[in-house]
Each structure stands twice: as structure tokens, then as C-alpha cells.
Amino acid sequence: MGLGALSNVIEILSAALSGGTGGAYRQVILTYDTDKLILPVTPATYKVSTAQGNKIVSITQVGEALIFGMPKLQTLTLECFFPALIHDYPFVVGDTKSPAECVQQLIKWKETRTPIRVIITGTPVNMAMAIQTFDYREQDGSQDIYYTLGLTEYKDLNTPAANNDKAVDSTTGLKERADNTQAATSATLVQKGADVLDAAKKSYGQYSHWRRIVQSNDLKDLAINNISKLRKLVIKN
């Protein structure tokens, strides 16, 4: 192993052993439908880029002026490696899949042309994203596969207002409000799942409701496995 790779491993080991709270390691969790991949080794760093579509225009007798635009899509960059199973690295905190399996799963998700959910525990990162770029390589003869994963935020343009089939009021020219009474008062039993994300998907149809399950059941770790008992939870829209 070269000095550069050794330094990278030491940095990742240090970050993994010191990450998280209450003894829980920070994890990067990627989900698509019922599939999930917890990155075996948590990247030492992650980079989120945000931008605004502001424009600078030139005004006669005034000069340049700034016009504020709308937010642009956020991007996320992750760089790390998938460890070969022949190594017994102490800093593996995610799935124990082979590097080839991890690569194949990411390529498969990318080619579905649909968003995945990306969560970095203990951080603000919890977004639906598209795999924009995925580069990988092997170095130092270690059989580990190093990768750079670039993701772009996905925004769902299918808004509830667009699906409102209520009649248009002849006076105001507006549609009546959609009836949400039943959804607001219904009680849902949180179904058992392999973990919190799986339970949220089964119960509510979306992974994004995982916080409700964690808070209602006093769970300490998002990636906790083998949940045997979960309480009832009332959805308040």
C-alpha cells in the first residue's frame, strides 16, 4: 500500500471511530424502493454545493444591479472506497458487500433514471437525489475499489394542487380545496420492518417519514436493525 493510500485509510479510520453521538457511527445510507446500501466505509468528508440563480444586469445611469433568482439544485459529492472482503478493516460500519456488488448496485440505480434517497446520519443531508456521476478505480493492488460519487438534488414537480379534481368556482375562477379530512384524522399502525427506513416506507409509502418513527419510539440509531415492536402513530397533515 502506498503512502497516499495509507494516509487516506488512517484519516477514514480516525473519522469513523470519532463520528456520531452516543457511540453510534455516522453512516451514509442510500435507498431506492426496497433496496438499500449503507456505504461500508463512511467518507472522511462530504461536500454539499448550493447556489442561487442570481443575475447581474446593467441599468442605464445606474450601473450594475443584482436581481435575485431562485435556488438551484443542491449537489453532493462523496469520495471513499469499497473495501475488499479479504481485508478485516476495523472501520467498516456499513454493508459487507463486495466492491463489485456495491459498484453494480450504484450503476443499476443510476440507469433506472429515478431518484434515490440519500441520508447522512447526524447531518442535515436527507434528500431525494439522482446519481449524476459515478467514477471508480482500483489502486495499489489492494483489491479495494476507490470511487467518486456525484449526486444532484431531485425535486418532485407533481404537486397536490395539480391533482385537485375539484370543480372551478364560477365567481373566483379557483378550484375548491382538496378534502384532506380523512388523511388528517386517520391513525396508522407503524408496520414492522428490517429497520427504520423500511418501516417508514411500508407504513407511509415514503422513506422521508423516518423521523416520526424515531421520535415516537425513542430510537437512538436510524440504522438500527431487527425492530420487533413499534408504537401506533397518528399522522397529522
Side-chain angles (χ1 to χ4, degrees):
M1 179 180 295
L3 292 179
L6 178 60
S7 176
N8 188 25
V9 168
I10 293 174
E11 182 181 6
I12 294 171
L13 173 59
S14 176
L17 295 180
S18 62
T21 58
Y25 299 135
R26 173 164 293 168
Q27 293 178 313
V28 179
I29 305 172
L30 311 177
T31 59
Y32 170 73
D33 197 14
T34 58
D35 294 334
K36 180 174 62 176
L37 173 65
I38 302 177
L39 296 184
V41 179
T42 301
T45 63
Y46 68 91
K47 179 182 179 181
V48 176
S49 296
T50 64
Q52 199 83 0
N54 301 335
K55 294 182 179 180
I56 297 178
V57 298
S58 181
I59 301 177
T60 305
Q61 297 181 347
V62 173
E64 290 186 336
L66 177 67
I67 298 178
F68 286 103
M70 299 300 290
K72 293 187 176 182
L73 297 175
Q74 299 182 67
T75 62
L76 171 66
T77 303
L78 300 170
E79 293 187 54
C80 199
F81 70 96
F82 300 125
L85 299 182
I86 60 173
H87 304 304
D88 188 21
Y89 293 134
F91 44 80
V92 173
V93 296
D95 289 338
T96 56
K97 298 178 180 179
S98 70
E101 290 177 309
C102 294
V103 168
Q104 290 169 3
Q105 186 161 25
L106 289 174
I107 292 177
K108 176 184 175 182
W109 287 351
K110 177 175 65 66
E111 293 178 350
T112 62
R113 298 188 295 175
T114 52
I116 64 174
R117 172 67 52 177
V118 181
I119 298 175
I120 303 180
T121 58
T123 77
V125 177
N126 181 351
M127 293 183 284
M129 309 194 81
I131 298 177
Q132 194 76 11
T133 59
F134 176 49
D135 302 320
Y136 63 92
R137 70 189 189 281
E138 186 177 330
Q139 63 186 43
D140 304 321
S142 63
Q143 299 185 38
D144 299 331
I145 291 183
Y146 291 77
Y147 66 88
T148 300
L149 182 62
L151 302 116
T152 302
E153 180 185 8
Y154 171 82
K155 290 185 178 179
D156 189 357
L157 301 180
N158 186 20
T159 61
N163 294 326
N164 184 358
D165 58 358
K166 297 292 183 178
V168 176
D169 188 280
S170 59
T171 302
T172 64
L174 302 174
K175 289 186 177 183
E176 299 177 10
R177 289 178 178 268
D179 186 5
N180 293 324
T181 304
Q182 182 176 1
T185 58
S186 63
T188 300
L189 175 64
V190 179
Q191 299 185 32
K192 296 178 183 178
D195 52 33
V196 174
L197 291 173
D198 186 33
K201 177 68 175 179
K202 288 181 177 179
S203 300
Y204 307 129
Q206 295 182 353
Y207 291 112
S208 58
H209 290 299
W210 62 269
R211 283 193 177 89
R212 297 183 179 186
I213 297 178
V214 170
Q215 293 171 358
S216 299
N217 294 273
D218 298 323
L219 300 179
K220 304 302 181 183
D221 187 354
L222 175 65
I224 189 171
N225 291 322
N226 300 321
I227 299 174
S228 58
K229 295 181 180 178
L230 291 173
R231 303 171 187 170
K232 288 184 178 180
L233 183 63
V234 177
I235 302 178
K236 295 294 186 180
N237 290 334

